[in-house]
Amino acid sequence: MFVRNECRQSVKLALLGDQSQSQSISWSFTQDTHDGSTYTTFKFPNLHLSRDEIRNATSLCIVLSDSCAKLENFCYDGKDNQCRVTFFSEDESCW
């Protein structure tokens, strides 16, 4: 997930699954520089989901705080309350 650089400390909790069976999951951030600008990626490195689980709309809840509590402020391009998300295989190659 492509997020704003200043929002790295805003994630408080991430839950995977529906409300009756959700589990807390770990997350991480990476930063890369391109053409003199720094870009931050928010990752869930240990989901271990199959392609079918992803296709069937698995729930993922992120609890945010502070000035980045809204998606429009957290996501780099969140002005429409949406975030761009990409799923990778365990070896980090696109499916």
Side-chain angles (χ1 to χ4, degrees):
M1 192 178 299
F2 205 28
V3 301
R4 295 177 186 259
N5 299 328
E6 62 271 16
C7 293
R8 293 181 66 178
Q9 301 300 316
S10 295
V11 180
K12 300 303 176 194
L13 179 67
L15 299 169
L16 180 67
D18 63 28
Q19 288 182 347
S20 64
Q21 295 183 334
S22 64
Q23 62 183 28
S24 178
I25 55 174
S26 60
W27 64 85
S28 65
F29 290 91
T30 59
Q31 289 188 310
D32 297 293
T33 302
H34 178 71
D35 288 337
S37 296
T38 301
Y39 297 96
T40 302
T41 304
F42 177 50
K43 296 182 177 187
F44 299 102
N46 299 308
L47 289 181
H48 304 294
L49 296 174
S50 69
R51 290 181 186 184
D52 287 336
E53 289 173 298
I54 293 169
R55 280 189 209 112
N56 293 328
T58 301
S59 295
L60 179 61
C61 177
I62 307 164
V63 178
L64 304 169
S65 68
D66 305 321
S67 62
C68 297
K70 294 181 180 181
L71 284 180
E72 64 190 45
N73 299 324
F74 182 69
C75 295
Y76 187 80
D77 55 352
K79 62 182 177 286
D80 295 322
N81 288 325
Q82 298 179 4
C83 293
R84 286 190 285 171
V85 178
T86 303
F87 288 91
F88 290 87
S89 60
E90 287 190 37
D91 64 358
E92 293 191 8
S93 62
C94 287
W95 288 352

